């Protein structure tokens, strides 16, 4: 009997012991569940707070971007007011301008004005930079050209470049000091006599391309920019007697430097010259469309790297 009682007592003790262990385990589980619940709830609060913060930041960025784009568009309207618009067609009806800024506003510009005795001055410039800095330079450049031409209606292309260079140097206070900004522009200018078909050309780095009977002629520019240049020298001028059917092109380097094609390479000057020869027999409006489509196809999904401007005309 005593043995049976001892066994019953041991069984009761085991049951109590197991119950205590189970209770402790249950409490531990409750504590862990409560801990992870509170931790999860705090995480949700933090995530919600971060989400609201991100939404607010996104709204602020969108407002700033909206203001930024509005300012850009306003700057574009100012620049377009400075550009000659349809004055080119009024001066030379058989002409086109392919004009494609990289960043809404452009460091490239074109300029045209009738002077005296049936003569037309045409210029295409490529200023340092693009976007707002380039646009400021282009507006300054066109303003200086307007000043020079208003002071001398008989100014020659070379003389105009000389005056433009000096005004840019003075305007930017360039002295050739170390660390000084080398802002300026490359530009090509031609003076066309629409009665005699005489053309005078002068350029700063940018040449003029002339296609005659499917043959390309390059009217070279002086290898120096507008602005301070340590090896600067007087600009020279070249005269060309135009023939019926001649097509002239003034261009910046943005088109030829654009990446694209199957291998993501530059369009290159060689391909540009070949294109001028290929399209020279088309109407000028067809040429503009061809140039635009060619670049769209070439770029594909590539980012536009620079401003583009090509002006073509014939008498």
């Amino acid at each position: 009997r005593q043995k049976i009682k001892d066994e019953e007592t041991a069984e009761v003790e085991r049951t109590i012991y197991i119950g205590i262990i189970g209770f402790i385990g249950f409490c531990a589980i409750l504590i862990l569940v409560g801990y992870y619940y509170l931790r999860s709830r705090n995480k949700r609060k933090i995530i919600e707070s971060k989400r609201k913060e991100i939404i607010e930041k996104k709204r602020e960025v969108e407002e700033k971007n909206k203001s930024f784009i509005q300012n850009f568009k306003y700057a574009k309207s100012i620049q377009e007011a400075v550009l000659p618009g349809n004055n080119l067609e009024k001066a030379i009806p058989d002409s086109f301008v392919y004009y494609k800024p990289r960043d809404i506003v452009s460091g490239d510009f074109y300029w045209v004005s009738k002077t005296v005795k049936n003569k037309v001055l045409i210029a295409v410039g490529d200023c340092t930079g693009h976007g707002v800095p380039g646009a400021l330079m282009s507006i300054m450049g066109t303003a200086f050209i307007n000043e020079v031409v208003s002071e001398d209606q008989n100014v020659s292309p070379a003389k105009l470049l000389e005056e433009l260079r000096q005004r840019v140097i003075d305007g930017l206070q360039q002295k050739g000091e170390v660390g000084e900004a080398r802002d300026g522009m490359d530009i090509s200018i031609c003076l066309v006599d629409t009665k005699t078909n005489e053309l005078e050309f002068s350029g700063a780095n940018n040449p003029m391309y002339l296609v005659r009977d499917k043959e390309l002629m390059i009217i070279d520019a002086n290898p120096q920019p507008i602005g301070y240049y340590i090896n600067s020298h007087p600009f020279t001028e070249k005269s060309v007697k135009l023939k019926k059917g001649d097509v002239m092109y003034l261009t910046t380097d943005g088109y030829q430097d654009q990446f694209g094609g199957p291998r993501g390479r530059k369009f290159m000057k060689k391909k540009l010259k070949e294109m001028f020869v290929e399209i020279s027999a088309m109407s000028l409006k067809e040429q503009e469309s061809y140039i635009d489509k060619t670049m769209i196809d070439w770029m594909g999904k590539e980012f536009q790297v620079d401003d583009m401007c090509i002006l073509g005309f014939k008498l």
Side-chain angles (χ1 to χ4, degrees), residues 27-64:
C27 290
I29 290 172
L30 285 179
I31 291 171
L32 286 173
V33 169
Y35 169 76
Y36 282 110
Y37 170 76
L38 292 174
R39 184 179 178 185
S40 174
R41 189 174 67 175
N42 288 336
K43 276 187 175 182
R44 286 199 299 271
K45 287 182 178 179
I46 293 171
I47 291 171
E48 180 64 20
S49 175
K50 290 291 185 182
R51 188 182 73 83
K52 290 180 179 179
E53 184 180 345
I54 290 170
I55 291 173
E56 181 61 23
K57 292 291 184 183
K58 180 175 179 290
R59 187 190 64 79
E60 292 177 5
V61 169
E62 287 174 346
E63 286 296 321
K64 288 180 180 179

Side-chain angles (χ1 to χ4, degrees), residues 3-18:
K3 184 177 180 181
I4 293 172
K5 285 183 179 180
D6 290 343
E7 288 177 354
E8 289 177 348
T9 301
E11 182 66 26
V12 169
E13 288 176 350
R14 280 197 299 272
T15 302
I16 293 172
Y17 178 76
I18 291 171

Side-chain angles (χ1 to χ4, degrees), residues 251-301:
T251 179
T252 61
D253 61 7
Y255 199 98
Q256 68 193 41
D257 287 345
Q258 178 59 46
F259 291 96
R263 298 183 180 180
R265 295 181 177 179
K266 287 185 177 182
F267 192 83
M268 300 301 288
K269 187 181 292 185
K270 180 177 182 292
K271 191 183 293 291
L272 179 67
K273 292 187 289 187
E274 290 172 350
M275 182 178 69
F276 287 155
V277 173
E278 181 182 352
I279 67 176
S280 60
M282 300 178 183
S283 71
L284 274 293
K285 292 303 178 186
E286 289 174 333
Q287 291 188 35
E288 181 183 0
S289 297
Y290 186 96
I291 289 171
D292 184 40
K293 185 179 184 305
T294 298
M295 181 47 61
I296 291 173
D297 292 343
W298 176 258
M299 284 180 61
K301 295 181 180 180

Side-chain angles (χ1 to χ4, degrees), residues 93-271:
D94 213 356
S95 59
F96 75 86
V97 176
Y98 171 79
Y99 184 70
K100 190 173 183 180
R102 196 196 81 165
D103 300 315
I104 301 179
V105 290
S106 177
D108 287 1
F109 69 92
Y110 59 99
W111 184 94
V112 60
S113 176
K114 280 190 173 182
T115 57
V116 295
K117 300 178 181 178
N118 304 305
K119 293 185 178 181
V120 180
L121 262 173
I122 302 172
V124 169
D126 183 355
C127 298
T128 305
H130 36 70
V132 173
L136 290 174
M137 278 295 299
S138 73
I139 290 173
M140 182 178 71
T142 54
F144 286 155
I145 293 174
N146 283 326
E147 286 179 5
V148 175
V149 174
S150 66
E151 293 169 5
D152 182 6
Q153 284 279 299
N154 291 304
V155 67
S156 67
K159 178 63 175 175
L160 177 52
L161 290 185
E162 293 287 351
E163 291 288 339
L164 182 59
R165 173 165 60 185
Q166 192 56 52
R167 294 184 194 221
V168 168
I169 290 173
D170 293 342
L172 298 178
Q173 301 180 23
Q174 295 177 335
K175 299 176 182 177
E177 298 175 351
V178 176
E180 181 182 80
R182 291 289 185 265
D183 294 316
M185 68 187 73
D186 298 333
I187 187 170
S188 49
I189 297 180
C190 57
L191 179 65
V192 184
D193 190 320
T194 57
K195 291 296 182 182
T196 65
N197 288 351
E198 294 283 349
L199 182 147
E200 296 174 355
F201 173 82
S202 188
N205 281 330
N206 289 352
M208 181 181 80
Y209 299 102
L210 186 156
V211 181
R212 175 178 294 169
D213 299 326
K214 290 288 186 177
E215 293 291 331
L216 179 71
M217 299 169 57
I218 301 174
I219 315 302
D220 288 323
N222 292 112
Q224 59 183 351
I226 296 297
Y228 181 83
Y229 184 62
I230 193 169
N231 295 319
S232 64
H233 49 271
F235 286 99
T236 58
E237 203 164 271
K238 297 180 180 180
S239 298
V240 180
K241 179 67 175 179
L242 300 179
K243 295 183 178 180
K244 185 177 180 180
D246 287 352
V247 189
M248 283 63 66
Y249 302 97
L250 305 178
T251 179
T252 61
D253 61 7
Y255 199 98
Q256 68 193 41
D257 287 345
Q258 178 59 46
F259 291 96
R263 298 183 180 180
R265 295 181 177 179
K266 287 185 177 182
F267 192 83
M268 300 301 288
K269 187 181 292 185
K270 180 177 182 292
K271 191 183 293 291

